Amino acid sequence: MPDQNRNLKWQNIALMGFVMVWGFGNVVNNFANQGLTVVFSWIFMIALYFVPYTLMVGELGSAFKDSQGGVSAWIKSTTTPMLAFMAGWTYWVVHVPYLAQKPQSLLIALSWAVSPSGDLATTLKGLNPLILQGMVLVVFLVFLYVSTKGIKVLKVIGNVAGTSMFVMSLLYIVLGLAAPAITGHVATPNITPKSFVPKFDFAYLTTLSMLVFAVGGCEKIAPYVNNTKNPSKNFPKGMLVLAGMVAVCALLGSIAMGMMFNANAIPEDLMMNGQYYAFQLLGEHYGLGSLFVIVYALANTAAQLSALVFSIDAPLRVLLGEADSNFIPKALSKTNKNGVLVNGYIMTAILVSSLIIVPALGIGSTNDLFESLLKLNAVVMPMRYLWVFLAYMGLKKMSSQFKTDYKFIKSDKLGFLVGLWCFGFTAFACIMGMFSTDATVFTSEWVFKVGLNIITPLVLMGIGLILPVIAKRTNGSEKTSN
């Protein structure tokens, strides 16, 4: 690439990556899972998982600088077309649980924006799960229809709102750490070094998937390797700065949460409403009433709206836009006069609607339902990261065939082992995340939750394995008839 097109510096890479990867919900959800012991977990995750993950992405992006297909293209170049299809399928299908929960998050954000005291959110929490999920289903179907219209303005609003939430998240860390110094009150009593060390038991291992979920997604940065000035030096530097920024926000954010909430008595609905509780408390500390929670709730409402529409349409277009007829039935790529992938939308509607309603049949409260869907996301979403590490291992086995401007690890054997470590850890975290520790073991609800966490990824991936069989029969018959 000509030098004039390499205009990104390490600062640009770090900031772009930070906005892509990090969010305030990562702090709240993992604090709700682990309390102050999450501080140790963040140090471990960032040093031994997130840093190598980001630097692997840099090498893959450099090796496949002319590729526009992302991870599926990396897999196709290093393994087989079938695995490349499964990588592409995985990147789409993990959005199904995401879309099943997104309307929930939208309703919660809207309830806090309308009623910053939290009264409306309390009403939502008290609803029968089936009633709430009925509302969620209506919201999803409405925006499934809206997404067919391609409302670009909503996406622009979402970007602005997302930036606002990002700024608010950093603001919370600064003001949250300063508040105890002003008031002299710390919510968690008797904080000592031992307060930050977890108990390495089965319950702790089930929380790892949420941490992996929090730091994943940096492969979106890969295309920018080739726009970076002196990439062999500046890209890894930017990635290391990104890791440092995430570490600082994760650690200080978790400590700020421990100062505002008692880590020994975490509210049961902290995952569901914790972000709003945090800004509500912040407003009280600084005598600003509901200002912070209103601003954050409005920004989050707009961001959730945009994310819902974008996540329905964009991943589907990536999957079906250049569909390989050997693996995807042509019927799924059918478009109407407006360019809408009609059958693809129907498939999305069936899968997401099922995942909206089915959990409500076996989970007794809306708060448990919200947490269960969030934890299901933490099991399913990291499955797509497995393909990144598989591609990196393939790259290291075939390194002589590819020229890269940047190498994370020069030794192919060591690089392969690091890729294998990240692959194995991700798979282990996903498997452990399937087990629920928020209910009495072996009760009917516990069995239902664990069963849902095991069956959902199996079904979603199973559909991906069935599609090539259907494609072989239907696409072949179409060719014959023509």
Side-chain angles (χ1 to χ4, degrees):
M1 177 176 288
D3 289 340
Q4 61 266 29
N5 293 325
R6 296 185 182 275
N7 49 22
L8 294 179
K9 299 179 180 178
W10 64 265
Q11 298 95 324
N12 305 120
I13 294 296
L15 288 172
M16 289 162 60
F18 189 52
V19 173
M20 288 179 183
V21 170
W22 197 245
F24 185 51
N26 295 330
V27 173
V28 175
N29 294 333
N30 284 287
F31 180 83
N33 251 349
Q34 296 188 20
L36 280 176
T37 61
V38 76
V39 170
F40 172 90
S41 301
W42 282 127
I43 294 172
F44 168 84
M45 284 294 298
I46 289 164
L48 297 181
Y49 183 81
F50 185 55
V51 170
Y53 176 12
T54 55
L55 297 179
M56 283 182 215
V57 165
E59 186 170 343
L60 284 163
S62 181
F64 305 107
K65 51 180 168 287
D66 298 322
S67 169
Q68 299 298 319
V71 177
S72 58
W74 300 346
I75 290 291
K76 188 174 183 178
S77 298
T78 55
T79 57
T80 66
M82 179 60 187
L83 287 178
F85 159 71
M86 287 305 298
W89 171 259
T90 303
Y91 262 74
W92 175 77
V93 85
V94 296
H95 284 83
V96 170
Y98 178 82
L99 288 170
Q101 191 190 26
K102 190 55 61 176
Q104 271 189 349
S105 301
L106 172 60
L107 288 174
I108 293 166
L110 186 60
S111 73
W112 280 95
V114 173
S115 175
S117 63
D119 291 342
L120 189 54
T122 301
T123 301
L124 280 179
K125 190 175 73 169
L127 286 177
N128 180 294
L130 275 173
I131 294 175
L132 176 65
Q133 291 306 90
M135 296 166 60
V136 166
L137 180 59
V138 170
V139 171
F140 168 71
L141 292 176
V142 167
F143 282 97
L144 183 73
Y145 173 75
V146 169
S147 66
T148 67
K149 305 302 178 182
I151 299 180
K152 296 180 180 179
V153 175
L154 193 58
K155 296 176 184 178
V156 173
I157 293 173
N159 289 334
V160 174
T163 303
S164 300
M165 289 174 60
F166 172 68
V167 172
M168 290 290 289
S169 301
L170 296 181
L171 184 67
Y172 174 78
I173 293 173
V174 174
L175 297 182
L177 290 171
I182 296 172
T183 63
H185 173 71
V186 175
T188 304
N190 305 319
I191 297 177
T192 67
K194 290 185 179 180
S195 303
F196 302 101
V197 181
K199 183 180 179 182
F200 298 99
D201 54 11
F202 183 82
Y204 174 76
L205 295 178
T206 65
T207 65
L208 294 178
S209 62
M210 192 72 74
L211 291 161
V212 173
F213 182 34
V215 298
C218 64
E219 60 273 5
K220 297 174 186 176
I221 312 170
Y224 299 103
V225 175
N226 303 293
N227 298 110
T228 306
K229 187 176 182 179
N230 191 4
S232 62
K233 178 181 178 181
N234 284 324
F235 191 84
K237 185 176 181 180
M239 289 294 95
L240 290 173
V241 173
L242 162 62
M245 292 167 70
V246 169
V248 168
C249 287
L251 297 176
L252 295 183
S254 299
I255 293 170
M257 288 291 292
M259 292 181 170
M260 303 288 279
F261 297 91
N262 188 343
N264 303 317
I266 295 173
E268 64 172 10
D269 63 337
L270 196 66
M271 284 190 185
M272 185 174 182
N273 292 306
Q275 298 176 58
Y276 309 100
Y277 288 154
F279 284 101
Q280 190 180 53
L281 286 173
L282 207 60
E284 292 174 5
H285 274 295
Y286 287 94
L288 295 173
S290 301
L291 177 64
F292 286 140
V293 72
I294 290 172
V295 172
Y296 185 80
L298 286 172
N300 204 9
T301 299
Q304 299 293 338
L305 278 170
S306 175
L308 179 57
V309 173
F310 185 77
S311 297
I312 289 171
D313 185 67
L316 190 63
R317 290 190 181 277
V318 170
L319 175 67
L320 302 178
E322 297 180 2
D324 188 328
S325 60
N326 292 315
F327 304 112
I328 297 182
K330 286 184 178 179
L332 283 179
S333 301
K334 178 184 176 182
T335 59
N336 63 14
K337 61 182 181 180
N338 297 319
V340 175
L341 294 158
V342 181
N343 293 332
Y345 268 65
I346 292 173
M347 179 175 68
T348 302
I350 292 171
L351 291 175
V352 175
S353 297
S354 300
L355 203 51
I356 286 173
I357 297 301
V358 169
L361 300 176
I363 297 176
S365 74
T366 55
N367 184 61
D368 283 349
L369 182 64
F370 181 89
E371 287 193 12
S372 295
L373 282 175
L374 181 61
K375 290 177 180 179
L376 177 61
N377 267 287
V379 168
V380 175
M381 193 64 78
M383 288 167 53
R384 62 179 180 157
Y385 313 149
L386 292 171
W387 296 105
V388 175
F389 306 130
L390 184 63
Y392 187 75
M393 288 188 282
L395 175 65
K396 283 303 179 183
K397 289 186 71 173
M398 305 166 61
S399 62
S400 60
Q401 300 179 31
F402 302 100
K403 181 181 179 182
T404 61
D405 293 320
Y406 159 67
K407 281 195 175 185
F408 162 41
I409 296 176
K410 292 184 179 180
S411 167
D412 293 335
K413 290 183 179 179
L414 180 58
F416 184 90
L417 289 175
V418 173
L420 183 62
W421 148 253
C422 288
F423 184 96
F425 181 78
T426 304
F428 176 75
C430 288
I431 292 169
M432 293 306 300
M434 293 177 178
F435 296 95
S436 174
T437 57
D438 57 359
T440 306
V441 177
F442 298 123
T443 61
S444 58
E445 185 166 317
W446 183 89
V447 172
F448 183 86
K449 288 180 179 179
V450 173
L452 185 69
N453 288 344
I454 294 173
I455 292 171
T456 300
L458 290 178
V459 169
L460 295 179
M461 297 306 294
I463 294 171
L465 292 172
I466 293 170
L467 286 181
V469 178
I470 298 173
K472 185 177 180 180
R473 293 180 179 178
T474 59
N475 295 357
S477 61
E478 284 182 18
K479 292 176 182 177
T480 303
S481 62
N482 290 336

